[in-house]
Amino acid sequence: MFAISWFDIIPVAITFLSIAFVQLLNVYLHVLGDNTAAKVVDISETDCAVSGNGAAAIAKSGSISPTASNGKLEKQASLLDGDSGISLNSIHSSSTAATTTTCATPGTPSATNSSPTHNAHNGFLTHTVSFETLGDEYHEDEDTLSLENLFPCDQTEIYASKKISFIIDELIQTEVNYVNYLRKGISNYGKLQQCADLPDGLRGEQRQQLLLGNISEILELHDKEILPMMLRNQRDLKGLFDEFATHFEKNNFYCYVGFTMGKKSSMQLRQENREWLQSYQTTIKDKLGIDSFLVQPIQRLTRYPLLLQQFISEFYKSGISCKPVLSAVCKLETRMRRQLDVVNQAEEIPNIDELNELDLQQQGYFRRSTEFDAQHFPTKKKYRAKIFLFDRCLVCTEVRKKRLAYRQHYSWEHVELQRPLELATANANKIINLMVKQQDRDKAKREEYSFVAAEASVVKQWLHATHKIIEIARHEKSQRDTFSLPMDLVLGVVLAIWLIWQYL
């Protein structure tokens, strides 16, 4: 036994108290920041509490009509502090259903509050969070509020249906074939640099990367994650669909967006070296060729929602009462369709001309593109524009027949998006104004662009997307400002102090 004196306890106690104080201060500042943002982002209860017919309208539609808002039609949502400047101002109450505010019936679950994760992408810290993790919108058929979804159901009735069993078997078997086909294609065309008669147009690792894109990354995803998940859950459909949806929530399928963005360069390279590639195809006895190999990823991504739609259709026809499985498959199908939309929109990015020194590969993940009738106020020019949203900037292009001409790009910290004040006009809900912040804070913001959409729903979805991008940036900024100590470091310091005090 050894005696412990107050001289032994005091240094350790002071160390523990200091560490606890730092951690509590960290938590307090983090919560304070979240509460401040929530106060600005969310619509207050006073604004949402509308008496009489107004409250009934909110309960039914989930949004506040102009007549029920007592004239308070403009809401401002600043998502970051004044120093950062990333904000989304003047979000009209008609778009509240697309934000994290819940003014509908009490007890309705709020938006998913998942924390974004980050990966290194092109040398930068990028967001691996998908849009579904911030204010998700569910499929019409999803009964997410039902308590039945929280409990397991008997799935034997599902497997008793021959048509549904056939669809599940097809989903898994085609996944096996897909992985095998990708593995064989990479084996055939992934080592072209070893060919002695390889033409100069295909020599070098950079040309090899342009030719095949990131198809090795796609193979790794399906070989190590998707296929094992399917085989593991082939007798548990809810588990299969839930785990599958998780991969979309984590943005693991963004590799398909990168593959699509490199599609144009790959096609051009193949066309320039067509004669040699056909000769090589004959040599290795590949009946389908490299073109068929490189079209497989997009065909596979398109096939997923079609199979799920067949599953849902047969589910209803069979009269099966297993709502947890139905809810899970509807949620997965919705996420797949959204990912497919992003992939299709990404195909237009290589068509942007006159980018000069702007490298879109360094702007984080691509999120959405939308067409507007644009007016550029400094030049007083009007044209049809396509706006591309990335994690780090907004890119404005002019639509010119089959190509897109680059016009401007704006970092999120330098712009604000506003809805017009004259809400009495019929087209007000279709308009977004882009304001540029001046370097001198005393000066007013400069009106840069006016975007007019064909439908108000397009503006609502677009604002919803920008809100999520800005919210992710706000979360990332709050994480950068957080000071925390790793627990292994804390324990190491405590042990070192105790040993020094004990033996010296």
Side-chain angles (χ1 to χ4, degrees):
M1 293 293 292
F2 57 90
I4 299 178
S5 65
W6 285 105
F7 293 101
D8 299 323
I9 298 176
I10 290 176
V12 177
I14 292 176
T15 303
F16 270 113
L17 290 175
S18 300
I19 294 172
F21 175 76
V22 171
Q23 296 291 352
L24 289 175
L25 182 62
N26 174 32
V27 172
Y28 172 76
L29 293 176
H30 184 67
V31 172
L32 182 63
D34 287 346
N35 290 340
T36 303
K39 289 179 181 179
V40 183
V41 174
D42 293 342
I43 299 177
S44 64
E45 294 181 2
T46 304
D47 295 331
C48 290
V50 184
S51 60
N53 297 332
I58 294 175
K60 292 181 179 180
S61 64
S63 61
I64 304 176
S65 63
T67 58
S69 58
N70 297 326
K72 197 167 185 178
L73 299 174
E74 288 297 313
K75 308 296 177 186
Q76 294 189 348
S78 177
L79 302 180
L80 285 177
D81 56 21
D83 295 333
S84 65
I86 302 180
S87 60
L88 182 62
N89 287 350
S90 302
I91 298 180
H92 186 254
S93 56
S94 64
S95 65
T96 55
T99 65
T100 55
T101 306
T102 55
C103 295
T105 54
T108 302
S110 59
T112 306
N113 192 24
S114 302
S115 300
T117 56
H118 305 85
N119 281 339
H121 179 64
N122 297 323
F124 286 81
L125 189 67
T126 56
H127 317 292
T128 58
V129 62
S130 71
F131 279 174
E132 285 75 14
T133 59
L134 291 172
D136 195 11
E137 297 174 358
Y138 289 106
H139 192 278
E140 293 177 355
D141 294 331
E142 290 186 59
D143 188 11
T144 57
L145 302 182
S146 175
L147 292 177
E148 296 178 20
N149 297 336
L150 302 178
F151 301 98
C153 65
D154 186 8
Q155 300 185 22
T156 56
E157 186 180 6
I158 301 177
Y159 290 102
S161 172
K162 293 183 179 180
K163 291 184 178 180
I164 292 181
S165 296
F166 177 79
I167 294 172
I168 296 302
D169 292 341
E170 183 181 1
L171 175 67
I172 298 176
Q173 185 58 49
T174 52
E175 186 72 17
V176 173
N177 297 339
Y178 177 56
V179 169
N180 291 335
Y181 195 90
L182 290 184
R183 188 182 292 115
K184 181 180 178 181
I186 292 177
S187 175
N188 288 337
Y189 299 99
K191 301 178 181 179
L192 296 181
Q193 303 303 314
Q194 299 177 2
C195 297
D197 60 339
L198 186 69
D200 294 337
L202 293 175
R203 289 190 179 278
E205 292 299 327
Q206 184 177 3
R207 297 292 177 87
Q208 180 74 26
Q209 178 67 25
L210 286 177
L211 181 65
L212 300 183
N214 63 337
I215 200 165
S216 297
E217 183 181 352
I218 295 175
L219 172 61
E220 184 178 4
L221 170 66
H222 288 268
D223 188 23
K224 297 183 178 180
E225 299 290 342
I226 306 303
L227 180 57
M229 176 270 298
M230 288 185 177
L231 296 175
R232 184 172 61 251
N233 293 288
Q234 56 183 330
R235 301 301 298 176
D236 179 14
L237 293 183
K238 186 179 187 304
L240 189 154
F241 297 141
D242 284 340
E243 286 192 41
F244 210 160
T246 301
H247 286 283
F248 286 92
E249 293 169 1
K250 293 180 178 179
N251 221 6
N252 292 341
F253 277 79
Y254 188 83
C255 54
Y256 282 87
V257 177
F259 181 80
T260 304
M261 290 172 63
K263 179 180 174 181
K264 182 178 180 180
S265 300
S266 175
M267 292 178 63
Q268 183 177 355
L269 193 60
R270 278 177 274 153
Q271 189 63 33
E272 293 173 353
N273 300 272
R274 179 65 59 190
E275 184 176 349
W276 186 89
L277 288 172
Q278 290 177 347
S279 175
Y280 178 75
Q281 175 185 341
T282 304
T283 302
I284 63 175
K285 298 180 181 181
D286 181 13
K287 296 180 180 180
L288 299 178
I290 190 172
D291 291 337
S292 177
F293 165 55
L294 292 178
V295 81
Q296 289 299 313
I298 303 304
Q299 288 183 348
R300 183 57 182 168
L301 192 63
T302 306
R303 183 64 176 159
Y304 282 135
L306 295 178
L307 288 172
L308 294 185
Q309 287 171 7
Q310 293 178 18
F311 179 93
I312 295 171
S313 177
E314 291 299 329
F315 199 97
Y316 278 117
K317 290 179 181 179
S318 303
I320 300 172
S321 58
C322 187
K323 288 188 177 181
V325 172
L326 179 61
S327 175
V329 70
C330 288
K331 181 173 66 174
L332 173 60
E333 191 263 348
T334 300
R335 281 157 171 71
M336 285 181 171
R337 285 191 290 105
R338 290 178 184 168
Q339 184 67 38
L340 191 58
D341 288 341
V342 175
V343 169
N344 291 334
Q345 292 171 3
E347 192 171 359
E348 297 180 313
I349 294 177
N351 297 330
I352 303 177
D353 298 333
E354 306 170 16
L355 279 173
N356 301 324
E357 297 181 356
L358 178 62
D359 185 2
L360 295 181
Q361 298 289 340
Q362 306 297 327
Q363 303 307 318
Y365 288 143
F366 166 67
R367 298 298 187 178
R368 175 188 290 269
S369 68
T370 309
E371 281 198 24
F372 294 99
D373 288 324
Q375 179 180 2
H376 188 225
F377 292 110
T379 61
K380 299 181 180 179
K381 185 178 179 180
K382 296 181 179 180
Y383 52 84
R384 187 66 178 171
K386 179 160 286 189
I387 312 302
F388 294 84
L389 303 182
F390 292 84
D391 279 348
R392 296 187 180 89
C393 72
L394 175 150
V395 179
C396 301
T397 64
E398 180 180 353
V399 179
R400 291 183 177 179
K401 295 183 180 179
K402 294 184 179 180
R403 70 184 187 92
L404 300 171
Y406 166 77
R407 286 294 166 254
Q408 289 89 15
H409 76 280
Y410 304 93
S411 299
W412 289 109
E413 64 265 21
H414 298 147
V415 300
E416 288 183 2
L417 301 174
Q418 295 184 351
R419 299 294 292 274
L421 296 177
E422 56 276 8
L423 292 178
T425 62
N427 295 327
N429 291 335
K430 304 177 182 179
I431 302 174
I432 304 173
N433 293 330
L434 187 145
M435 314 293 291
V436 176
K437 298 181 179 181
Q438 305 290 335
Q439 292 183 352
D440 188 353
R441 295 189 178 183
D442 295 333
K443 293 183 179 180
K445 302 177 182 66
R446 184 180 78 246
E447 196 171 21
E448 187 77 5
Y449 267 104
S450 177
F451 300 128
V452 182
E455 301 291 339
S457 59
V458 175
V459 173
K460 177 180 177 180
Q461 294 173 2
W462 198 78
L463 285 177
H464 188 39
T466 56
H467 169 80
K468 289 176 178 178
I469 294 174
I470 295 171
E471 178 65 15
I472 291 172
R474 185 199 66 80
H475 183 276
E476 190 179 67
K477 180 178 183 296
S478 67
Q479 292 299 310
R480 287 198 303 265
D481 294 340
T482 299
F483 175 71
S484 60
L485 296 176
M487 187 54 62
D488 53 351
L489 177 62
V490 171
L491 295 177
V493 170
V494 171
L495 180 61
I497 292 176
W498 185 83
L499 291 175
I500 291 174
W501 184 268
Q502 184 73 24
Y503 297 105
L504 293 182

mmCIF file of all heavy atoms in Angstrom, residues 301-315:
data_model
loop_
_atom_site.group_PDB
_atom_site.id
_atom_site.type_symbol
_atom_site.label_atom_id
_atom_site.label_comp_id
_atom_site.label_asym_id
_atom_site.label_seq_id
_atom_site.Cartn_x
_atom_site.Cartn_y
_atom_site.Cartn_z
ATOM 1 N N LEU A 301 -26.966 2.305 -62.631
ATOM 2 C CA LEU A 301 -27.598 3.284 -61.752
ATOM 3 C C LEU A 301 -29.032 3.561 -62.182
ATOM 4 O O LEU A 301 -29.900 3.821 -61.352
ATOM 5 C CB LEU A 301 -26.785 4.587 -61.765
ATOM 6 C CG LEU A 301 -27.133 5.610 -60.690
ATOM 7 C CD1 LEU A 301 -26.854 5.049 -59.299
ATOM 8 C CD2 LEU A 301 -26.364 6.900 -60.896
ATOM 9 N N THR A 302 -29.294 3.500 -63.482
ATOM 10 C CA THR A 302 -30.650 3.694 -63.987
ATOM 11 C C THR A 302 -31.531 2.491 -63.687
ATOM 12 O O THR A 302 -32.747 2.631 -63.489
ATOM 13 C CB THR A 302 -30.619 3.939 -65.503
ATOM 14 O OG1 THR A 302 -29.734 5.014 -65.793
ATOM 15 C CG2 THR A 302 -31.993 4.280 -66.033
ATOM 16 N N ARG A 303 -30.932 1.318 -63.652
ATOM 17 C CA ARG A 303 -31.693 0.087 -63.437
ATOM 18 C C ARG A 303 -32.218 -0.033 -62.013
ATOM 19 O O ARG A 303 -33.302 -0.612 -61.788
ATOM 20 C CB ARG A 303 -30.795 -1.114 -63.761
ATOM 21 C CG ARG A 303 -31.459 -2.473 -63.660
ATOM 22 C CD ARG A 303 -32.575 -2.635 -64.662
ATOM 23 N NE ARG A 303 -33.156 -3.967 -64.631
ATOM 24 C CZ ARG A 303 -34.368 -4.254 -65.091
ATOM 25 N NH1 ARG A 303 -35.118 -3.302 -65.623
ATOM 26 N NH2 ARG A 303 -34.825 -5.489 -65.034
ATOM 27 N N TYR A 304 -31.509 0.497 -61.038
ATOM 28 C CA TYR A 304 -31.923 0.369 -59.632
ATOM 29 C C TYR A 304 -33.356 0.869 -59.394
ATOM 30 O O TYR A 304 -34.195 0.121 -58.881
ATOM 31 C CB TYR A 304 -30.952 1.128 -58.724
ATOM 32 C CG TYR A 304 -29.656 0.422 -58.455
ATOM 33 C CD1 TYR A 304 -28.454 1.112 -58.514
ATOM 34 C CD2 TYR A 304 -29.617 -0.922 -58.117
ATOM 35 C CE1 TYR A 304 -27.243 0.481 -58.255
ATOM 36 C CE2 TYR A 304 -28.421 -1.568 -57.858
ATOM 37 C CZ TYR A 304 -27.232 -0.858 -57.930
ATOM 38 O OH TYR A 304 -26.045 -1.496 -57.675
ATOM 39 N N PRO A 305 -33.677 2.152 -59.706
ATOM 40 C CA PRO A 305 -35.042 2.617 -59.409
ATOM 41 C C PRO A 305 -36.111 1.882 -60.202
ATOM 42 O O PRO A 305 -37.243 1.758 -59.724
ATOM 43 C CB PRO A 305 -34.992 4.112 -59.772
ATOM 44 C CG PRO A 305 -33.807 4.276 -60.654
ATOM 45 C CD PRO A 305 -32.835 3.230 -60.236
ATOM 46 N N LEU A 306 -35.786 1.383 -61.394
ATOM 47 C CA LEU A 306 -36.773 0.623 -62.164
ATOM 48 C C LEU A 306 -37.137 -0.672 -61.451
ATOM 49 O O LEU A 306 -38.322 -1.039 -61.370
ATOM 50 C CB LEU A 306 -36.224 0.325 -63.560
ATOM 51 C CG LEU A 306 -35.983 1.537 -64.469
ATOM 52 C CD1 LEU A 306 -35.405 1.094 -65.807
ATOM 53 C CD2 LEU A 306 -37.274 2.313 -64.679
ATOM 54 N N LEU A 307 -36.142 -1.359 -60.914
ATOM 55 C CA LEU A 307 -36.416 -2.585 -60.167
ATOM 56 C C LEU A 307 -37.220 -2.299 -58.901
ATOM 57 O O LEU A 307 -38.138 -3.053 -58.539
ATOM 58 C CB LEU A 307 -35.103 -3.284 -59.800
ATOM 59 C CG LEU A 307 -34.354 -3.968 -60.952
ATOM 60 C CD1 LEU A 307 -32.983 -4.455 -60.482
ATOM 61 C CD2 LEU A 307 -35.171 -5.140 -61.495
ATOM 62 N N LEU A 308 -36.894 -1.203 -58.234
ATOM 63 C CA LEU A 308 -37.625 -0.861 -57.013
ATOM 64 C C LEU A 308 -39.065 -0.461 -57.318
ATOM 65 O O LEU A 308 -39.979 -0.756 -56.535
ATOM 66 C CB LEU A 308 -36.908 0.269 -56.275
ATOM 67 C CG LEU A 308 -35.531 -0.081 -55.704
ATOM 68 C CD1 LEU A 308 -34.982 1.079 -54.885
ATOM 69 C CD2 LEU A 308 -35.593 -1.343 -54.845
ATOM 70 N N GLN A 309 -39.277 0.215 -58.443
ATOM 71 C CA GLN A 309 -40.643 0.559 -58.828
ATOM 72 C C GLN A 309 -41.459 -0.700 -59.119
ATOM 73 O O GLN A 309 -42.646 -0.766 -58.787
ATOM 74 C CB GLN A 309 -40.618 1.479 -60.048
ATOM 75 C CG GLN A 309 -40.150 2.891 -59.727
ATOM 76 C CD GLN A 309 -39.919 3.727 -60.980
ATOM 77 O OE1 GLN A 309 -40.226 3.299 -62.093
ATOM 78 N NE2 GLN A 309 -39.377 4.924 -60.803
ATOM 79 N N GLN A 310 -40.849 -1.699 -59.748
ATOM 80 C CA GLN A 310 -41.527 -2.973 -59.963
ATOM 81 C C GLN A 310 -41.865 -3.638 -58.630
ATOM 82 O O GLN A 310 -42.952 -4.198 -58.452
ATOM 83 C CB GLN A 310 -40.646 -3.897 -60.799
ATOM 84 C CG GLN A 310 -40.419 -3.434 -62.231
ATOM 85 C CD GLN A 310 -39.493 -4.370 -62.985
ATOM 86 O OE1 GLN A 310 -39.276 -5.521 -62.580
ATOM 87 N NE2 GLN A 310 -38.930 -3.886 -64.074
ATOM 88 N N PHE A 311 -40.914 -3.553 -57.681
ATOM 89 C CA PHE A 311 -41.148 -4.131 -56.347
ATOM 90 C C PHE A 311 -42.334 -3.445 -55.673
ATOM 91 O O PHE A 311 -43.224 -4.116 -55.128
ATOM 92 C CB PHE A 311 -39.887 -3.974 -55.501
ATOM 93 C CG PHE A 311 -40.012 -4.514 -54.106
ATOM 94 C CD1 PHE A 311 -39.639 -5.810 -53.815
ATOM 95 C CD2 PHE A 311 -40.510 -3.722 -53.080
ATOM 96 C CE1 PHE A 311 -39.754 -6.312 -52.527
ATOM 97 C CE2 PHE A 311 -40.632 -4.210 -51.791
ATOM 98 C CZ PHE A 311 -40.255 -5.509 -51.511
ATOM 99 N N ILE A 312 -42.378 -2.114 -55.702
ATOM 100 C CA ILE A 312 -43.465 -1.367 -55.061
ATOM 101 C C ILE A 312 -44.795 -1.691 -55.723
ATOM 102 O O ILE A 312 -45.825 -1.872 -55.052
ATOM 103 C CB ILE A 312 -43.177 0.138 -55.121
ATOM 104 C CG1 ILE A 312 -41.930 0.479 -54.286
ATOM 105 C CG2 ILE A 312 -44.366 0.952 -54.621
ATOM 106 C CD1 ILE A 312 -41.437 1.896 -54.456
ATOM 107 N N SER A 313 -44.791 -1.774 -57.044
ATOM 108 C CA SER A 313 -46.028 -2.082 -57.762
ATOM 109 C C SER A 313 -46.566 -3.459 -57.379
ATOM 110 O O SER A 313 -47.764 -3.617 -57.090
ATOM 111 C CB SER A 313 -45.772 -2.012 -59.268
ATOM 112 O OG SER A 313 -46.922 -2.370 -59.997
ATOM 113 N N GLU A 314 -45.706 -4.463 -57.357
ATOM 114 C CA GLU A 314 -46.133 -5.809 -56.971
ATOM 115 C C GLU A 314 -46.528 -5.866 -55.503
ATOM 116 O O GLU A 314 -47.407 -6.643 -55.119
ATOM 117 C CB GLU A 314 -45.017 -6.817 -57.264
ATOM 118 C CG GLU A 314 -44.758 -7.059 -58.730
ATOM 119 C CD GLU A 314 -45.970 -7.616 -59.444
ATOM 120 O OE1 GLU A 314 -46.756 -8.348 -58.797
ATOM 121 O OE2 GLU A 314 -46.146 -7.319 -60.641
ATOM 122 N N PHE A 315 -45.899 -5.051 -54.684
ATOM 123 C CA PHE A 315 -46.218 -4.997 -53.257
ATOM 124 C C PHE A 315 -47.673 -4.571 -53.075
ATOM 125 O O PHE A 315 -48.418 -5.160 -52.283
ATOM 126 C CB PHE A 315 -45.274 -4.011 -52.558
ATOM 127 C CG PHE A 315 -45.189 -4.189 -51.075
ATOM 128 C CD1 PHE A 315 -44.161 -4.909 -50.502
ATOM 129 C CD2 PHE A 315 -46.144 -3.630 -50.244
ATOM 130 C CE1 PHE A 315 -44.081 -5.067 -49.122
ATOM 131 C CE2 PHE A 315 -46.082 -3.779 -48.873
ATOM 132 C CZ PHE A 315 -45.045 -4.505 -48.307
#
